[in-house]
Amino acid sequence: MGIAIIYASGMTKHTKEVAEYMARELKADIFNLKQITKINMTDYDTVLFGTGVHAGKPYKPLVQFLEANRDALAGKKTYLFIECMYNDEKGDAQRDKIAEQLGIPDAVYFNTKSDEMNEAGFPAAVDEFIARLRSG
Ligand SMILES: Cc1cc2nc3c(=O)[nH]c(=O)nc-3n(C[C@H](O)[C@H](O)[C@H](O)COP(=O)(O)O)c2cc1C
């Protein structure tokens, strides 16, 4: 059983870039909700959802996808990653709010201009998240 990464990204493509990096590292299938909105979930036991944030809110294509696929996601391990502009307690609060709204409690957020970047140019927190997923 595989991993799916399903994301909604905006003009700056930050979420897209992180999603693509994670897909390479985790050998996951990747779906851009701008291009594809019907995904056969039976192939996956783990699903990672990604979104940027505008005015405190996750992007609509992701909200709509989750609303339409609640039943298909039952029993799967789900995670949320958020691309945002905070790196502090504001980010924590924003993450908690979005995680609750989307019904995905296991949520992390990444600031594209993090203090600590890895060799591939992504926040070190992305690698920590990947390591956690690998360890199950
Ligand atoms: C109009 C606008 C509003 C934004 N509002 C927020 C916000 O409320 N909270 C936040 O953390 N980041 C906010 N951001 C920053 C973006 O969420 C951040 O740059 C993210 O990486 C964008 O991801 P994307 O390139 O995949 O769309 C905003 C950006 C724009 C352009």
Side-chain angles (χ1 to χ4, degrees), residues 3-68:
I3 304 176
I5 299 178
I6 299 172
Y7 70 92
S9 190
M11 294 264 287
T12 44
K13 297 191 167 73
H14 294 152
T15 311
K16 182 176 195 281
E17 284 165 9
V18 168
E20 287 171 350
Y21 173 68
M22 290 201 293
R24 284 197 297 276
E25 292 291 315
L26 292 164
K27 302 200 188 333
D29 289 344
I30 181 167
F31 302 95
N32 180 353
L33 289 174
K34 261 195 185 157
Q35 292 161 352
I36 186 162
T37 53
K38 285 206 193 320
I39 300 164
N40 183 355
M41 308 296 285
T42 53
D43 294 343
Y44 308 105
D45 61 356
T46 302
V47 189
L48 277 51
F49 293 101
T51 182
V53 186
H54 276 186
K57 295 201 167 69
Y59 294 166
K60 249 197 194 121
L62 180 59
V63 177
Q64 289 167 345
F65 181 86
L66 287 167
E67 279 169 4

Side-chain angles (χ1 to χ4, degrees), residues 45-49 73 76-80 103-107:
D45 61 356
T46 302
V47 189
L48 277 51
F49 293 101
L73 289 167
K76 298 186 191 296
K77 280 184 269 179
T78 55
Y79 302 87
L80 175 67
I104 307 174
D106 199 329

